Amino acid sequence: MTPRFDTVVIGGGIVGTTAAYYLAKAGKRVALVEKGRINGEQSSRNWGAIRTQGRDRSEIPMMLDCLDIWRGIETELGESVDWRQQGQMRVIYDDSMRARSEAFMPVAREFGLTTQLLTPREVAEMLPHYDARDCQGALFTPTDGNAEPEKAAPAFARGAVRFGATILEHTAARAIDLWNERVCGVETEHGRLACDTVVLASGAWTSRLLKPLGIRHPSLWVRGSVGRTGVLPIEMRKLVVWGKCAYRQRPDGRVNIAVAEDGFHDIMLESAVHGLEFLPLAGRNWRNLRFHLGTPLVRSLMGEFADYTTHRTLDPMPDWKGLRKAANHFLAEYPGAGPIKYERAWAGYIDYMPDELPVIQAMQRPDGLFVAAGLSGHGFGIGPIIGRSLSDLIVKGRSDYDLAPFSARRFNPH
Ligand SMILES: Cc1cc2nc3c(=O)[nH]c(=O)nc-3n(C[C@H](O)[C@H](O)[C@H](O)COP(=O)(O)OP(=O)(O)OC[C@H]3O[C@@H](n4cnc5c(N)ncnc54)[C@H](O)[C@@H]3O)c2cc1C
C-alpha cells in the first residue's frame, strides 16, 4: 500500500528540516525525503553567519524573529548548535565599502537594528590580535550571531523525528504528482508517497523539479569555498568577520577562512538558459565575478545533473587559488597567527537568484505546493523562520510576514 502523509518535504537542508520540525510539532504527519544525507549540501558548508546586517529590507522582519528562534533553539531542541550572539562585522578597507556600509545605516535605523559604524580603534579593541593598519572602520551589528552549520539542520531533523516525522535519506524525489491541478503525491526512487501538500526545499536542484510543472525558477550555481585551519594562537570574539576574506573562529580555536569577495560560476548548460537574467547582477559585481569552463559543463551537457541520484551530495572542488589568497589576507591581518595551513577545505554550490532574493510561496497552480528555495547565499541564518513560515502557510493558511517580494510570479508572470 502507498504510504500516506499530510506533507512530504523534499530536501534535508536547513529549510527542509525546519519545515519538517514545525509541521510535525503542529501535529502533521510528515515525511522528509533527501536524495543524499541530511545536511549534505549548502546548509553544512556555509560560514555560519546569522545576520540582519546587510540584508534586503524585505527579509529583515523575518530575520529579526529568526534571531529569537536561534536564541532559544538549544533549549528547545535540547542540544548545542554552537549558537553565539557575538555580532557580525564587515570591515571597511576602501571608499566603495564605506559607501555601501553607510548606505545600510538608514535601513538599520528604520528597523531598529543595533548596527553601528565602528572606528578602526574600536575594531582593534574588539579583535586584540588584529593588525588594523589597512582598516578604515567597520559596520557592526552586535545582536547578530553565528552557529555551527554542521550541527543545526541535523538537530532540527532529530527534533522533527521526536515529533513523529519520518526521515528518508538516500531517497530522491523524481517528480511531484498532480491530480486535477492539485498535489497528490511524490514519486521517489523507492516508490510513491501519497500526500496533500509538498514542501519543495531542494536548494540548488529546485529549478529541475519545478520545470515539469511549467514553473520557471532561474537559479544559477555559484561556488563558495571555505578552509579550516588548525588551532591558532590568537583569540578573537567568536564572531563572523567579513573583509578581504571572511573568517570565524570556532569554539575549539580553529578558524574557518573563506573566499569572501569572489563569486565563482562554473559554466553549465543552465548558464546559457538563465544567463541573460543574471546580466544586471553580473554587471554590478563584474570585478568579483570569475567563470570556470571545465568538467561541470561537460557533466551538465551529458545530462548528469538531470538525475537526482548521480550526485547524492554536491561536493564541488574548493577554489584552492582563492583559499591561498584568503589565507594570505588573513595572515596580513593576524601576523601573530603563524603559518596558515588548512586542515581541510570544502566548497558548496549556492543557489543564486537574479535578484538575490528567495522564492517563498504557496503556489496556486498546482494547489498544495509550497516552495522555498533560491536563498542566494544567505539562507542559513534565515532558514528556520522560513521553515516555520512554511508550516504556518500549511497549518494556518497564512504567514505572519509579507511574502510578496518572494513570490515566484516575478519569474512567472503568466
Ligand atoms: C560557502 C557558502 C557560504 C555561505 N555562507 C552563509 C552564511 O554565512 N550565512 C547564511 O545565512 N547563508 C550562507 N550560505 C547560504 C546557505 O548555506 C544556504 O542559503 C542555505 O543553506 C540553503 O538551505 P536549503 O535548505 O535551501 O538548501 P540545501 O542546504 O542545499 O538543502 C537542499 C537539499 O535538498 C536535497 N535535494 C535536492 N533535490 C532533491 C530531490 N530531488 N530529492 C530529494 N532531495 C533533494 C539536496 O540533496 C540538499 O540536501 C552559504 C553557502 C555557501 C555554499
Side-chain angles (χ1 to χ4, degrees):
M1 209 172 80
T2 306
R4 167 161 279 286
F5 298 91
D6 295 323
T7 304
V8 173
V9 177
I10 302 176
I14 192 74
V15 176
T17 56
T18 53
Y21 174 74
Y22 288 109
L23 282 163
K25 193 176 170 191
K28 293 284 178 191
R29 285 169 305 159
V30 181
L32 184 156
V33 296
E34 165 54 56
K35 67 177 168 53
R37 57 188 157 77
I38 290 291
N39 209 29
E41 297 195 343
Q42 296 177 82
S43 297
S44 62
R45 292 162 185 262
N46 62 71
W47 305 349
I50 295 169
R51 61 178 172 86
T52 52
Q53 181 174 304
R55 278 193 185 265
D56 188 273
R57 59 191 337 117
S58 60
E59 292 181 333
I60 292 178
M62 291 180 94
M63 192 57 228
L64 281 168
D65 287 351
C66 202
L67 282 174
D68 285 341
I69 295 184
W70 284 106
R71 276 186 209 106
I73 205 59
E74 296 187 324
T75 312
E76 182 169 337
L77 296 177
E79 57 182 296
S80 166
V81 296
D82 293 348
W83 157 249
R84 285 188 159 63
Q85 195 159 22
Q86 294 278 4
Q88 165 87 20
M89 186 186 285
R90 187 83 154 95
V91 183
I92 298 168
Y93 294 101
D94 55 32
D95 290 347
S96 95
M97 186 64 78
R98 172 164 297 285
R100 271 188 282 164
S101 299
E102 286 174 353
F104 186 69
M105 289 309 289
V107 181
R109 278 192 289 275
E110 180 186 336
F111 289 95
L113 307 185
T114 56
T115 310
Q116 50 197 273
L117 282 163
L118 301 183
T119 63
R121 194 188 170 136
E122 286 169 323
V123 174
E125 276 166 14
M126 213 171 279
L127 304 171
H129 291 98
Y130 173 73
D131 181 343
R133 216 171 313 165
D134 288 352
C135 169
Q136 297 180 16
L139 191 70
F140 179 58
T141 306
T143 45
D144 283 350
N146 64 84
E148 176 49 57
E150 285 167 22
K151 292 185 177 177
F156 276 105
R158 283 188 283 273
V161 169
R162 280 195 294 278
F163 282 116
T166 302
I167 305 258
L168 301 166
E169 291 183 296
H170 287 90
T171 304
R174 292 202 195 275
I176 297 164
D177 278 351
L178 305 186
W179 189 79
N180 250 352
E181 296 279 339
R182 249 210 82 83
V183 163
C184 64
V186 171
E187 295 294 339
T188 82
E189 62 180 304
H190 302 307
R192 184 167 183 276
L193 304 174
C195 61
D196 304 323
T197 48
V198 166
V199 167
L200 190 57
S202 44
W205 301 83
T206 305
S207 51
R208 290 163 173 79
L209 281 156
L210 285 176
K211 196 172 171 200
L213 305 177
I215 302 169
R216 291 187 65 253
H217 181 82
S219 82
L220 286 188
W221 294 0
V222 172
R223 185 157 34 122
S225 299
V226 185
R228 180 172 301 162
T229 69
V231 176
L232 296 184
I234 53 168
E235 184 53 43
M236 61 173 75
R237 225 174 124 132
K238 303 287 189 291
L239 80 175
V240 177
V241 182
W242 186 349
K244 293 175 187 168
C245 58
Y247 47 89
R248 169 176 74 96
Q249 191 172 35
R250 293 157 45 90
D252 62 9
R254 292 177 166 79
V255 178
N256 283 1
I257 300 178
V259 180
E261 291 297 342
D262 291 339
F264 202 115
H265 177 57
D266 288 310
I267 294 177
M268 295 185 203
L269 197 56
E270 288 71 23
S271 318
V273 179
H274 301 309
L276 275 182
E277 278 166 278
F278 282 80
L279 283 182
L281 179 63
R284 284 195 301 279
N285 298 288
W286 66 271
R287 277 173 198 276
N288 306 108
L289 205 55
R290 290 160 64 204
F291 295 96
H292 177 243
L293 197 63
T295 328
L297 175 62
V298 178
R299 287 181 160 172
S300 71
L301 287 171
M302 287 169 69
E304 262 194 31
F305 299 113
D307 181 339
Y308 306 103
T309 57
T310 317
H311 292 269
R312 293 274 172 199
T313 297
L314 278 178
D315 189 20
M317 283 285 289
D319 165 21
W320 279 106
K321 198 171 156 207
L323 281 175
R324 277 192 290 273
K325 200 168 129 194
N328 288 338
H329 283 314
F330 186 83
L331 195 55
E333 292 177 10
Y334 292 88
I340 303 295
K341 270 203 184 132
Y342 293 118
E343 280 183 354
R344 55 171 288 224
W346 62 91
Y349 275 128
I350 297 171
D351 52 343
Y352 244 89
M353 302 301 285
D355 54 6
E356 299 178 85
L357 288 178
V359 166
I360 310 170
Q361 191 176 344
M363 308 300 288
Q364 262 127 34
R365 297 178 69 185
D367 195 12
L369 176 62
F370 298 79
V371 179
L375 276 67
S376 304
H378 48 270
F380 174 69
I382 203 170
I385 196 80
I386 295 180
R388 199 173 82 185
S389 300
L390 290 164
S391 169
D392 284 348
L393 285 170
I394 292 171
V395 176
K396 303 178 187 163
R398 58 173 173 77
S399 151
D400 294 340
Y401 307 99
D402 175 14
L403 299 180
F406 314 124
S407 168
R409 278 189 214 104
R410 62 198 205 270
F411 307 114
N412 296 274
H414 305 298

